[in-house]
Amino acid sequence: MRFSLSSSALSSKLNILSKVINPKNAMAIFDCYLFEIQDGKLIITASDSSNMMRLSLDLIEHDSNGAFCVPNKIMLTSVKELAEQPLVFDVNTEDYSIEMNYMNGSYHIYGQNPAEYPKMKGIEGDYTSTTISSEVLLNNINRTLFATAQEELRLVMNGLCFDLKEDYLAIVASDGHILVRNRLYDCKSDFPASFILPKKPATLLRSVLANDPSDVTIRFSESSAEVLFNNGILSCRLIEGRYPNYNSVIPQDNPNRLTIDRKAFISALRRILPFAGESTQLVKLRIDYNNMEINSEDIEFATSARENLVCEYGGMPMSIGFKGSSLYEICNNLTSDDIVIELADPGRAGIITPAEQPEGEDVLMLIMPMLLND
């Protein structure tokens, strides 16, 4: 079997798929890519047993259909070092010896029998389907992923909750200290359903959706999901269980509203955070009429920092503490020029939203306060 293709196109696909493969696998075949030649296309599959991704690319030429497995590390490294040029494969389908010829040389390796590679299983039983713009999905994954937890007792908190309602799709993440809720009003269903996507497949989707202008179709059942995108598919197991009632923890009546320049706030937090205690990372906000004072202190090393920022605020004067790193992450994962912080009192959660919401969306982030000594 002989075929040729662009070396840079192959390298790009292999680099994405390499993120699927675990460093250590229970089965040696999962250390390989599955290459399948089908009617002028090369379909490459990678798997770690829980997640399987398949990407396709066009061939320059080929003489027949067929399949073989190749070791991922040597293939990824060797192709990455090549400048853009045609790469010609000659494969012996009896012993799976592979000759790869390029402009100034060749590689010779042995592959494995493709019959040993597990097949991609479709979704079994009833499933729910929804379609979403790849750009919107990518933006929401980027905005939400940082808020997922790393818990052993509550595994449901370790992923993104996709909650499909009659009026919108909510994409939610929380670690118990912060919460992100995105509502997409262009996605809705007459039959509400939800699933919890683990972090790894969510991270894999970030890699493939970055330059994809098409729509994405998500099909999911109780235990598995398929995400169909341009020139590829991701199949994964879901986190089983019921996600906590996230809406119940979001305050509905925070009357004190503050508007501030997001980038200026981020810059101030960057300067103030190094002076906060390493264990607590407490940052204190003293808010008065159109003024915010940010300060931090590390009693152990006798260091402190303070900075004033102009803001729009007409509520009651207040001092409230937050974990500085969490506050920074929230602001850094918003994109609007200004952000709105809604507060009630120093003991209740603060709500942070973009001053201008993305079209067709509603973005909300929640952060729990920290107790102050004064």
Side-chain angles (χ1 to χ4, degrees):
M1 180 173 62
R2 183 184 179 92
F3 63 92
S4 64
L5 73 169
S6 160
S7 61
S8 60
L10 177 60
S11 178
S12 174
K13 302 297 185 184
L14 293 179
N15 186 55
I16 293 171
L17 289 165
S18 68
K19 298 177 176 63
V20 181
I21 300 173
N22 287 333
K24 296 182 180 179
N25 290 293
M27 296 173 60
I29 197 68
F30 287 134
D31 291 326
C32 296
Y33 300 109
L34 172 63
F35 278 33
E36 297 174 281
I37 309 302
Q38 295 182 6
D39 303 326
K41 288 186 178 292
L42 170 61
I43 301 171
I44 312 173
T45 304
S47 177
D48 64 359
S49 79
S50 294
N51 306 284
M52 183 174 283
M53 182 182 284
R54 180 178 291 169
L55 301 177
S56 65
L57 65 159
D58 294 325
L59 298 175
I60 298 173
E61 59 180 2
H62 74 292
D63 61 7
S64 63
N65 292 341
F68 59 95
C69 293
V70 290
N72 82 87
K73 289 183 180 178
I74 190 169
M75 177 61 68
L76 179 66
T77 304
S78 61
V79 174
K80 184 169 61 176
E81 295 301 323
L82 294 175
E84 164 55 23
Q85 59 188 286
L87 183 60
V88 181
F89 283 72
D90 283 298
V91 183
N92 185 327
T93 54
E94 293 183 0
D95 64 1
Y96 301 107
S97 60
I98 304 163
E99 190 87 20
M100 293 183 288
N101 298 288
Y102 57 98
M103 189 178 300
N104 299 314
S106 64
Y107 301 131
H108 185 270
I109 60 174
Y110 276 90
Q112 294 189 44
N113 188 340
E116 299 177 10
Y117 206 90
K119 301 299 182 183
M120 180 177 282
K121 295 181 179 180
I123 296 179
E124 299 178 352
D126 296 334
Y127 66 85
T128 302
S129 179
T130 187
T131 301
I132 182 173
S133 157
S134 60
E135 182 183 0
V136 171
L137 179 58
L138 175 64
N139 290 340
N140 278 272
I141 291 175
N142 286 335
R143 189 185 296 131
T144 310
L145 200 57
F146 80 97
T148 53
Q150 294 183 356
E151 290 199 16
E152 296 183 2
L153 297 178
R154 294 186 298 172
L155 294 178
V156 294
M157 305 292 284
N158 294 351
L160 303 183
C161 175
F162 283 67
D163 194 8
L164 189 59
K165 302 286 191 180
E166 294 179 352
D167 299 322
Y168 56 82
L169 167 65
I171 302 178
V172 183
S174 177
D175 63 2
H177 180 72
I178 55 178
L179 180 144
V180 179
R181 187 197 68 189
N182 306 292
R183 285 179 173 173
L184 314 180
Y185 293 105
D186 290 337
C187 294
K188 57 188 73 173
S189 174
D190 293 333
F191 304 97
S194 64
F195 68 93
I196 305 171
L197 185 69
K199 276 184 280 193
K200 182 171 181 177
T203 303
L204 292 171
L205 284 173
R206 290 204 298 188
S207 302
V208 295
L209 297 180
N211 299 307
D212 186 354
S214 62
D215 287 343
V216 174
T217 298
I218 303 174
R219 298 197 294 242
F220 61 94
S221 63
E222 290 186 358
S223 60
S224 61
E226 289 180 344
V227 184
L228 291 78
F229 48 88
N230 187 33
N231 293 323
I233 180 173
L234 170 66
S235 175
C236 64
R237 292 180 189 168
L238 301 174
I239 298 176
E240 297 187 28
R242 183 181 295 275
Y243 204 80
N245 183 0
Y246 54 88
N247 285 316
S248 67
V249 302
I250 300 174
Q252 303 299 317
D253 54 350
N254 282 7
N256 300 298
R257 181 183 173 96
L258 178 152
T259 303
I260 193 167
D261 182 279
R262 184 181 65 89
K263 290 182 179 179
F265 192 29
I266 288 174
S267 296
L269 287 171
R270 237 189 245 121
R271 291 186 289 269
I272 293 294
L273 260 173
F275 295 88
E278 186 175 348
S279 60
T280 64
Q281 296 185 318
L282 172 64
V283 168
K284 186 188 301 181
L285 308 182
R286 294 184 185 275
I287 309 166
D288 208 335
Y289 180 74
N290 289 348
N291 181 74
M292 174 193 288
E293 179 187 285
I294 313 173
N295 63 73
S296 62
E297 182 181 16
D298 189 337
I299 297 175
E300 183 177 354
F301 293 96
T303 60
S304 63
R306 178 176 58 83
E307 185 167 332
N308 282 282
L309 291 175
V310 175
C311 63
E312 294 181 18
Y313 183 72
M316 70 175 190
M318 186 187 309
S319 292
I320 189 168
F322 294 111
K323 186 175 181 179
S325 58
S326 297
L327 192 58
Y328 174 83
E329 286 283 359
I330 285 175
C331 296
N332 202 42
N333 280 281
L334 292 169
T335 56
S336 61
D337 293 335
D338 295 331
I339 57 173
V340 176
I341 304 176
E342 297 177 1
L343 304 168
D345 58 62
R348 296 180 63 184
I351 300 297
I352 302 177
T353 58
E356 184 176 347
Q357 293 282 1
E359 185 178 356
E361 300 182 44
D362 181 74
V363 179
L364 178 148
M365 301 196 182
L366 174 149
I367 182 169
M368 297 300 295
M370 299 179 69
L371 293 177
L372 301 177
N373 292 326
D374 49 0

